[in-house]
């Protein structure tokens, strides 16, 4: 019995090569630029353990990625004409009027507001000026160093702006020691930090002197948190911005305000935040 064997001389088709992208250095906003053949495609950035990608035109891809390379590949694959354009996210448009107080990606929940107030009070003591809204403990926060501001001005240097993690600035395991010890390149020597910080930590006020009337008692803080929650749920951007300004705006009594918020929510009155 004979059998006819037919040989298939066609080699299996190779999978198309993925676009060769390059990742640049992280910028002041915590973003990594993604380039393809020298052309900027967009940026990838980390948010609470996952990575997102944004095109150079500002379109945020809806998928979340486990690492920055996966996010960068999603940008690079958009150059393939056979790759469909990403669909617009189905989530409601975020409120952005309060972006200078609370990051637009954070909901105006009591937990986030209290954590932000605690962080802002501590930044006042550590001579950091926030240039963006509180983003949470594990995301980069754009800050300006005030400790060396006078020194840099005398030497015709611009203020130092850069991204820092609040989880590093608040210390670890309760030791309350900000990290890194060297605040940034070009700052004052570590041995001069203590004297520089005394200027900013001098006698915080126990009561708010501002026209916005920031709450410094648990009763006032509790009432304001309740009203703020209602404004957030109703998606009222004007009311929410005004309320968050009272809860998170600059104030000489920021420590007293943070303590009042912690007490109002039943937390120990210590300036620690998640």
């Amino acid at each position: 019995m004979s059998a006819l064997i037919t040989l298939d001389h066609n080699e299996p088709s190779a999978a198309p090569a993925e676009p060769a992208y390059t990742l640049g250095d992280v910028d002041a906003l915590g973003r990594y630029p993604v380039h393809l053949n020298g052309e900027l495609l967009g940026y990838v950035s980390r948010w609470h353990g996952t990575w997102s990608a944004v095109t150079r035109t500002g379109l945020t891809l809806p998928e979340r990625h486990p690492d920055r390379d996966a996010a960068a590949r999603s940008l690079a694959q958009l150059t393939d004409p056979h790759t469909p354009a990403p669909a617009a996210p189905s989530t409601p448009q975020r409120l952005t009027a309060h972006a200078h107080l609370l990051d637009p990606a954070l909901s105006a929940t009591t937990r986030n507001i209290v954590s932000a107030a605690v962080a802002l009070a501590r930044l006042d003591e550590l001579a950091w000026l926030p240039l963006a809204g509180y983003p949470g403990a594990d995301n980069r926060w754009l800050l300006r160093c005030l400790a060396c501001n006078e020194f840099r001005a005398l030497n015709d240097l611009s203020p130092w702006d850069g991204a820092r993690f609040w989880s590093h600035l608040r210390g670890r395991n309760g030791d309350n020691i900000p990290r890194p010890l060297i605040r940034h390149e070009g700052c004052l020597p570590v041995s001069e930090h203590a004297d520089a910080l005394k200027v900013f930590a001098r006698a915080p006020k126990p009561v708010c002197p501002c026209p916005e009337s920031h709450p410094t008692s648990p009763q006032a803080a509790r009432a304001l948190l309740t009203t703020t929650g209602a404004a957030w749920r109703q998606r009222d951007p004007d009311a929410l911005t005004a309320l968050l300004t009272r809860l998170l705006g600059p104030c000489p009594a920021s420590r007293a305000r943070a303590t009042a918020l912690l007490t109002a929510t039943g937390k120990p009155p210590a300036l620690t935040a998640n």
Side-chain angles (χ1 to χ4, degrees):
M1 180 176 173
S2 61
L4 180 62
I5 300 177
T6 303
L7 298 177
D8 186 358
H9 295 285
N10 295 326
E11 297 182 358
S13 57
E18 291 189 352
Y21 63 86
T22 58
L23 275 170
D25 293 331
V26 64
D27 65 11
L29 298 177
R31 307 174 305 174
Y32 293 81
V34 181
H35 293 86
L36 184 66
N37 298 325
E39 179 183 359
L40 176 66
L41 299 180
Y43 302 88
V44 298
S45 58
R46 180 180 178 273
W47 183 262
H48 288 298
T50 61
W51 289 76
S52 62
V54 179
T55 68
R56 64 180 179 183
T57 59
L59 174 64
T60 300
L61 276 61
E63 297 84 3
R64 306 293 295 182
H65 304 277
D67 53 55
R68 65 184 180 186
D69 287 304
R73 282 195 297 272
S74 69
L75 276 178
Q77 288 166 356
L78 290 180
T79 62
D80 185 342
H82 302 293
T83 301
S90 58
T91 54
Q93 184 178 3
R94 293 188 179 112
L95 302 178
T96 56
H98 61 268
H100 62 296
L101 300 166
L102 196 66
D103 191 283
L106 285 187
S107 299
T109 63
T110 294
R111 176 185 174 88
N112 287 336
I113 291 170
V114 173
S115 294
V118 169
L120 290 166
R122 184 61 175 148
L123 289 189
D124 284 347
E125 298 171 345
L126 297 176
W128 289 104
L129 174 69
L131 302 180
Y134 172 74
D138 297 319
N139 299 299
R140 286 184 171 88
W141 196 357
L142 185 60
L143 306 173
R144 172 169 293 175
C145 179
L146 298 179
C148 62
N149 215 23
E150 183 177 353
F151 166 80
R152 296 178 73 86
L154 291 174
N155 289 275
D156 295 323
L157 297 173
S158 300
W160 186 91
D161 300 343
R164 287 289 181 266
F165 290 100
W166 165 238
S167 59
H168 295 177
L169 292 177
R170 69 183 180 187
R172 299 175 184 172
N173 301 321
D175 64 11
N176 211 32
I177 299 175
R179 294 172 175 81
L181 294 180
I182 300 175
R183 292 169 63 97
H184 60 82
E185 185 177 354
C187 194
L188 299 175
V190 174
S191 60
E192 298 180 20
H193 286 178
D195 289 337
L197 295 186
K198 287 179 182 178
V199 176
F200 298 91
R202 185 180 299 162
K205 292 186 178 297
V207 179
C208 169
C210 308
E212 295 89 344
S213 185
H214 303 103
T216 53
S217 71
Q219 295 78 11
R222 189 177 300 110
L224 204 55
L225 286 172
T226 300
T227 307
T228 302
W232 171 254
R233 290 189 295 273
Q234 294 167 8
R235 293 295 191 265
D236 186 340
D238 293 334
L240 184 62
T241 300
L243 291 163
L244 286 177
T245 298
R246 294 183 63 193
L247 288 164
L248 302 177
C251 179
S254 59
R255 171 182 277 272
R257 178 179 58 185
T259 301
L261 286 165
L262 286 167
T263 303
T265 54
K267 297 181 179 180
L271 292 187
T272 59
N274 294 320

